[in-house]
Amino acid sequence: MRRSITSGRGALTRRSLLRAAGGGALALGGIGALGACGIPAAGGKDRTAGVSDDFSAGEKRVVFSNWTEYMDVGEDDKGYPSLAAFTQRTGISVKYTADINDNNEFFGKIQQQLHNGQDIGRDLICVTDWLAARLIRLGWVQKLDPTHLPHAYANLAAQFRNPSWDPGRAHSYPWTGIATVIAYNEKATDGRKVESISQLLDDPRLKGKVGFLSEMRDTMGMTLLDMGKDPAKFTDDDYDAAVARLQKGVDSKQIRRFTGNDYTSDLEKGDLAACVAWAGDVVQLQADNPSVKFAIPRAGYISSSDNLLVPAKARHKTNAEKLIDYYYEPGPAARLAAYINYVCPVEGVREELAKLDEALADSTLILPDKEMAAKAHPFRTLSEAEEKTYEEKFAKLIGA
């Protein structure tokens, strides 16, 4: 089920395209577009948006937009076995499109239609938690019917149950979790472990071989944790102090560069001795290179999620809810986790995953144990003004 980092999803992981322009939310379709298109400010709802008539009973179909390489595929990269099984069972056909390459870019595609109260031609979308929070805040997604989601309600892992931006998961369910960890190549570190952000920034033996991510919430969140600050409650002064700490690492050339997913090749070769990394990439790298290790800092790690939502005015809400619920059954959830290697948000999936791959079933990067889950910390939901200010400061830090 796993595919290699060079020929499978790791070669074009959905994370490799995040922040492609280097400017985070300042890129095309990002924060600037909020004001440019007359979209309501944070906290305001667009009154033209709302629920739609549901044509699910008469139209046995669902249109699903997802990230590139974020679905299990069949042999020779043909078809999607879990989707085919869903259709065979329910009679609901799925038009599946991997047309999300970046949260901001996708928001730019759909925002005007949603603002105008129009159907965007999709019944189900998958976006990262901060964008999910924005869409919910604007009133552009539909509230889910729990009677259509028995497996999802029963099997959702505890750490994902009650995000601040969608209490009780009224509008969303996670597709997968994203754990931000520290990765290192023990050949490049001469066998030494690297287990904290402090080591990355202060160990002279790592100078020039350290990487941080160009995703603001991951890099800043991990740095705040190392400084003893809660990423869910930090202040402006806390953020500025974390920026200053990272700036010192840039000025001293301790930090080699800020990267998207392209850190994987440098880490594998040893050009990066250690870096902040996404757990799904580490799992895939380890399959081919046992020198790649990971560490969960004592201070904890940043946890985020990609989430399924039904847009306002979608035609097939009930069908979309049935598809969400299907992926909370252990069998389909295991097949998906075995392919994408990110954190599975479904409880009770281990036995099914072990049938596919024992090593994956034992990985706490895919199925966190209680100790791992307890160290997870979300990055707090930002207001529109905070998001703009923080992204601008971060863009300056990374040279975007």
Side-chain angles (χ1 to χ4, degrees):
M1 296 297 298
R2 271 183 297 181
R3 308 178 72 194
S4 77
I5 197 71
T6 55
S7 65
R9 81 169 290 281
L12 189 62
T13 175
R14 46 90 60 230
R15 282 277 157 182
S16 70
L17 296 166
L18 279 177
R19 303 298 188 251
L26 305 177
L28 179 64
I31 287 176
L34 281 171
C37 294
I39 292 172
K45 286 191 176 183
D46 181 1
R47 297 183 184 278
T48 62
V51 299
S52 64
D53 293 331
D54 192 348
F55 297 90
S56 293
E59 298 177 3
K60 305 290 283 185
R61 62 192 301 263
V62 61
V63 182
F64 182 9
S65 280
N66 203 351
W67 294 83
T68 303
E69 299 289 339
Y70 224 24
M71 178 66 74
D72 60 294
V73 298
E75 293 183 7
D76 299 322
D77 290 347
K78 294 181 179 179
Y80 304 106
S82 61
L83 287 177
F86 171 78
T87 298
Q88 184 176 14
R89 181 200 297 182
T90 64
I92 299 170
S93 65
V94 182
K95 181 181 179 183
Y96 181 80
T97 308
D99 61 347
I100 303 179
N101 292 321
D102 177 90
N103 283 293
N104 289 306
E105 179 187 33
F106 185 65
F107 182 70
K109 289 179 181 179
I110 64 176
Q111 62 178 343
Q112 194 62 55
Q113 289 171 283
L114 290 170
H115 176 60
N116 292 335
Q118 298 170 343
D119 177 15
I120 64 171
R122 300 166 174 89
D123 302 303
L124 194 61
I125 60 175
C126 182
V127 297
T128 305
D129 45 19
W130 62 265
L131 180 54
R134 181 190 295 174
L135 293 173
I136 293 169
R137 185 177 70 219
L138 292 169
W140 290 354
V141 296
Q142 300 192 47
K143 192 172 182 178
L144 301 174
D145 184 344
T147 65
H148 298 155
L149 298 157
H151 296 99
Y153 181 81
N155 296 335
L156 177 60
Q159 76 178 87
F160 297 103
R161 281 194 173 269
N162 199 37
S164 61
W165 48 269
D166 188 22
R169 290 287 179 183
H171 304 85
S172 68
Y173 269 91
W175 179 246
T176 190
I178 304 164
T180 303
V181 300
I182 291 176
Y184 60 97
N185 186 323
E186 64 179 1
K187 287 186 177 179
T189 64
D190 296 324
R192 299 188 307 277
K193 295 181 179 179
V194 181
E195 301 178 304
S196 70
I197 297 297
S198 293
Q199 280 181 271
L200 292 180
L201 290 174
D202 300 331
D203 188 340
R205 295 170 295 183
L206 299 177
K207 185 174 182 178
K209 290 190 173 185
V210 169
F212 280 81
L213 292 168
S214 55
E215 171 69 33
M216 182 271 283
R217 288 162 176 81
D218 292 307
T219 284
M220 295 304 299
M222 292 291 280
T223 304
L224 285 163
L225 278 171
D226 190 71
M227 295 170 66
K229 304 299 181 180
D230 185 348
K233 299 177 181 178
F234 66 89
T235 65
D236 289 347
D237 288 343
D238 294 335
Y239 187 89
D240 289 344
V243 169
R245 189 172 185 214
L246 288 164
Q247 186 65 59
K248 182 179 178 181
V250 171
D251 295 342
S252 68
K253 301 190 185 309
Q254 177 79 6
I255 299 174
R256 183 184 182 94
R257 64 191 185 106
F258 294 84
T259 73
N261 180 254
D262 50 330
Y263 68 83
T264 54
S265 59
D266 283 350
L267 180 63
E268 192 168 31
K269 291 184 294 184
D271 291 341
L272 283 177
C275 61
V276 178
W278 290 302
D281 296 334
V282 176
V283 174
Q284 293 179 35
L285 283 169
Q286 288 180 325
D288 298 322
N289 187 344
S291 296
V292 174
K293 307 293 183 181
F294 78 93
I296 304 298
R298 182 176 299 176
Y301 65 96
I302 292 296
S303 176
S304 57
S305 58
D306 285 332
N307 306 274
L308 301 172
L309 303 99
V310 178
K313 302 300 181 182
R315 288 179 62 89
H316 310 107
K317 177 174 180 282
T318 297
N319 292 344
E321 290 167 336
K322 289 180 178 179
L323 185 57
I324 294 172
D325 196 59
Y326 168 74
Y327 279 104
Y328 274 81
E329 297 178 25
R335 178 176 286 277
L336 181 67
Y339 184 81
I340 66 176
N341 295 167
Y342 278 84
V343 178
C344 179
V346 183
E347 293 280 11
V349 77
R350 190 188 186 287
E351 184 177 342
E352 292 296 323
L353 186 55
K355 294 176 184 177
L356 300 172
D357 192 314
E358 283 279 1
L360 293 182
D362 290 336
S363 174
T364 57
L365 296 181
I366 295 175
L367 299 180
D369 55 19
K370 289 184 179 180
E371 182 180 358
M372 176 83 169
K375 292 184 177 182
H377 295 268
F379 194 93
R380 73 173 171 84
T381 302
L382 303 178
S383 69
E384 182 183 341
E386 286 176 326
E387 193 167 30
K388 184 176 186 296
T389 299
Y390 292 167
E391 288 282 10
E392 285 177 344
K393 291 178 178 180
F394 187 70
K396 182 178 179 181
L397 168 71
I398 68 176

